Amino acid sequence: MFRELRLKLTLINVGVMAFLLLIFIIGTFFVMRIQVINQSQQLMQIIAGKAGSGTIVNPREHDKHLAKYFYIKTDNSGKVTYTSSGLPMPLAQLTPLLDKAFHKSNSRGEVEVNDETYTYLKMPLNQGPGYVITFVDLERDKDILQELLLTLSIGGLVCLGLAYYGSRFMADRAMAPIKSSWQRQQEFVADASHELRTPLSVVQVNLDIVKGNPEETVASQSKWLDYSLIEIRRMSKLVDDLLFLARADSQQQTLNPQMFSLKAALNEVFESFRPLAETNGISLEASLNTAADYYGDENRIKQLIVILLDNALKYTHPGGQVTLSLQNWGTHAEITVSDTGEGIAQEHLTKIFERFYRADPARSQQREGTGLGLAIADWIIKCHHGRIKVTSSPGKGTAFVINLPYQS
């Protein structure tokens, strides 16, 4: 699919370039041709005007012109009375050329003799009866125009070749993020399907057990029903997270910013985690010494801290410690969530914000979670124009440091 799309993009670019080059070549050729014709007309007009008034035209006077020219004076019957220097052939051989030009009804035009084409201009003499007929040989100009056309054509083909390879390069670069996004989407769908399949399977097995014992009471089957309820809640959380990220990707997920006390919001989340920490034998500490107000979405900031504290408690063993701190640095607020838990290896730190990414899949499967929490946290931080930094050492713990700039 991507191969065909890349080829189409390349061919479209080359086609547009070929069309533009064709217009340029044709336009340049016709502009030069018109200039040559106009130059010849001006040359004939000048020579005929001077010769018609009796002025002797110096053959070298108009050597700047590329075309070969000469003129002949005749009486009213067409008999030659004077010829200029520089005749291309003996006068006897020019008689057919002269007769054609003299007897044509138009005072200017083209005549052909011996496979050579001449442009002529016939004007009456200013002094005495008769005419002066000026001839210009455009063969040299035509040769130059043909060489110009050939040069432009070769240059156009070279440009098309360069455009083809340039278009392929640009198409590859343009396709890279699309291909990467497509692959991530495919992986996302596969991971989501896998995450949903497990709880669905558990629910199905538990319900099959309950259904297979119709004589049992609800109380006796409560264990299997509780297992099903746990998995249904897990699926509900997973679906909610998936919908959240889907709306975020389509830019339908919006913020509701307002001024609020960052300290109060963090303290509210902190207090809600105290019972869980005590139950797991983990020391939960807070250092919220600043009372600065912050302009942002209070609910999303709370959601961010919930995700980080939940992960910290989940991966910290009994007897360990989790700390939430808040500092005011004037231009930004700094929130830190640190723990003394298992830690994360360095090679995983750059990937932990990817959807469904797990540094240790074997251990992660033993803990509840959707694998989407840090992806949601990253989105919330970016929407508040903030930054997050992670430091960790396996066996020593992890620290998430968030900088949230104050809005002016």
Side-chain angles (χ1 to χ4, degrees), residues 43-55:
L43 175 62
M44 290 190 297
Q45 198 77 32
I46 293 171
I47 295 173
K50 289 185 177 182
S53 62
T55 304

Side-chain angles (χ1 to χ4, degrees), residues 142-326:
K142 289 180 179 179
D143 292 340
I144 292 176
L145 287 175
Q146 289 179 355
E147 291 177 2
L148 173 64
L149 182 60
L150 179 62
T151 302
L152 289 174
S153 300
I154 294 174
L157 291 175
V158 172
C159 289
L160 280 180
L162 295 175
Y164 173 76
Y165 288 104
S167 297
R168 284 195 59 180
F169 174 75
M170 296 303 296
D172 287 338
R173 293 196 61 180
M175 291 297 299
I178 300 175
K179 187 176 181 180
S180 176
S181 177
W182 173 263
Q183 289 175 344
R184 287 199 302 270
Q185 183 180 2
Q186 294 293 94
E187 293 171 358
F188 180 74
V189 172
D191 290 336
S193 301
H194 174 74
E195 293 293 330
L196 287 170
R197 186 184 299 114
T198 301
L200 282 173
S201 299
V202 173
V203 170
Q204 182 179 357
V205 170
N206 290 330
L207 293 180
D208 285 341
I209 294 174
V210 173
K211 192 175 179 180
N213 297 279
E215 71 282 355
E216 298 290 338
T217 63
V218 173
S220 64
Q221 300 291 318
S222 61
K223 178 175 66 172
W224 311 113
L225 296 176
D226 288 342
Y227 289 160
S228 298
L229 185 59
I230 291 172
E231 294 302 324
I232 289 173
R233 288 172 178 169
R234 179 183 171 191
M235 280 193 297
S236 178
K237 178 65 169 61
L238 176 59
V239 170
D240 288 342
D241 289 347
L242 288 172
L243 289 176
F244 182 97
L245 290 173
R247 287 192 294 265
D249 290 340
S250 60
Q251 298 182 346
Q252 296 178 5
Q253 191 68 263
T254 58
L255 299 180
N256 183 26
Q258 57 184 359
M259 293 298 297
F260 67 95
S261 172
L262 196 57
K263 177 181 179 180
L266 266 60
N267 188 67
E268 180 180 338
V269 176
F270 173 80
E271 292 297 333
S272 68
F273 274 90
R274 272 185 177 275
L276 178 62
E278 292 176 0
T279 301
N280 294 335
I282 299 172
S283 174
L284 183 61
E285 304 292 337
S287 177
L288 310 175
N289 299 321
T290 179
D293 288 337
Y294 181 75
Y295 183 77
D297 191 322
E298 182 177 4
N299 291 328
R300 294 305 176 202
I301 295 298
K302 288 180 179 179
Q303 182 182 8
L304 166 65
I305 304 305
V306 166
I307 291 170
L308 296 180
L309 283 179
D310 183 61
N311 279 351
L313 292 172
K314 191 182 300 180
Y315 291 98
T316 300
H317 298 294
Q321 179 176 319
V322 174
T323 304
L324 172 65
S325 65
L326 172 65

Side-chain angles (χ1 to χ4, degrees), residues 332-344:
H332 65 275
E334 183 179 276
I335 303 172
T336 303
V337 177
S338 59
D339 62 65
T340 59
E342 300 175 4
I344 306 170

